[in-house]
């Protein structure tokens, strides 16, 4: 049986030159393990606020701190892992079936999310007990 994928940090190319840095990705480049159908970004998060607090039945996501820093806490059905994202050239891949929260946003931070599907509220699990039941 195929082993379920795990959340993990993926590094993207960074092109340095005297004008600054540039990072990119595109479908099929072999870095992000899904085709991107949607992007959204979270910003102006007040100090102390938590985002996320849900799981996805089908959605693959890749989160990048395009500015500032924040923490991502992920339960993959087996264990919790905590990451601090603070680099625009490194992001966190989160496969379907993981519960996640985002917190500790530094002022002016921006979380960009690349997603494998269009927005569909029916594919979210927003209740933690329901999420735990979905694992068994
Ligand atoms: P929500 O899922 O609560 O944000 P978080 O990532 O912090 O859990 O989304 C906030 C609102 O935005 C909610 O009404 C759904 C809506 N939304 C869209 O309409 N399209 C999207 O692509 C996303 C991610 C959210």
């Amino acid at each position: 049986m195929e082993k379920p994928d795990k959340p993990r940090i993926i590094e993207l190319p960074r092109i340095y030159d005297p004008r600054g840095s540039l990072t990119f990705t595109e479908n099929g480049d072999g870095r992000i393990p899904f085709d991107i159908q949607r992007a959204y970004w979270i910003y102006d998060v007040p100090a102390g606020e938590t985002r996320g607090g849900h799981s996805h039945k089908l959605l693959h996501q890749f989160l990048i701190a395009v500015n500032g820093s924040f923490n991502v806490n992920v339960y993959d059905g087996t264990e919790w892992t905590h990451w601090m994202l603070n680099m625009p050239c490194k992001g966190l891949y989160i496969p379907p079936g993981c519960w996640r929260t985002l917190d500790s946003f530094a002022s002016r931070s921006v979380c960009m999310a690349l997603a494998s599907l269009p927005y569909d509220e029916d594919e979210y699990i927003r209740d933690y007990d329901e999420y735990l039941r979905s694992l068994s």
Side-chain angles (χ1 to χ4, degrees):
M1 196 169 84
E2 202 179 317
K3 213 162 155 257
D5 219 351
K6 299 286 267 183
R8 62 182 182 277
I9 296 291
I10 295 174
E11 192 159 351
L12 298 176
R14 178 174 180 177
I15 311 292
Y16 298 89
D17 75 32
R19 300 166 302 160
S21 295
L22 183 151
T23 288
F24 56 89
T25 187
E26 62 184 55
N27 287 340
D29 68 7
R31 293 191 174 92
I32 295 178
F34 58 86
D35 276 358
I36 298 158
Q37 289 210 38
R38 176 166 54 109
Y40 65 91
W41 38 104
I42 296 171
Y43 52 99
D44 286 349
V45 179
E49 276 297 342
T50 299
R51 303 288 314 207
H54 54 69
S55 168
H56 291 281
K57 298 173 192 168
L58 302 170
L59 192 74
H60 299 252
Q61 278 191 311
F62 185 71
L63 306 182
I64 310 159
V66 289
N67 193 53
S69 68
F70 51 86
N71 291 343
V72 189
N73 314 293
V74 181
Y75 184 62
D76 66 1
T78 305
E79 59 181 353
W80 281 96
T81 313
H82 307 275
W83 285 273
M84 185 182 68
L85 299 186
N86 64 356
M87 291 185 67
C89 61
K90 276 187 192 175
L92 177 64
Y93 166 64
I94 307 179
C98 295
W99 188 267
R100 90 291 313 273
T101 61
L102 285 66
D103 60 23
S104 303
F105 281 81
S107 170
R108 304 187 64 79
S109 294
V110 181
C111 170
M112 186 169 77
L114 306 178
S116 64
L117 293 168
Y119 175 70
D120 175 8
E121 187 60 38
D122 290 344
E123 128 356 275
Y124 279 71
I125 302 177
R126 291 188 183 270
D127 179 86
Y128 190 62
D129 290 334
E130 184 186 340
Y131 166 69
L132 293 178
R133 284 195 298 275
S134 78
L135 296 173
S136 48

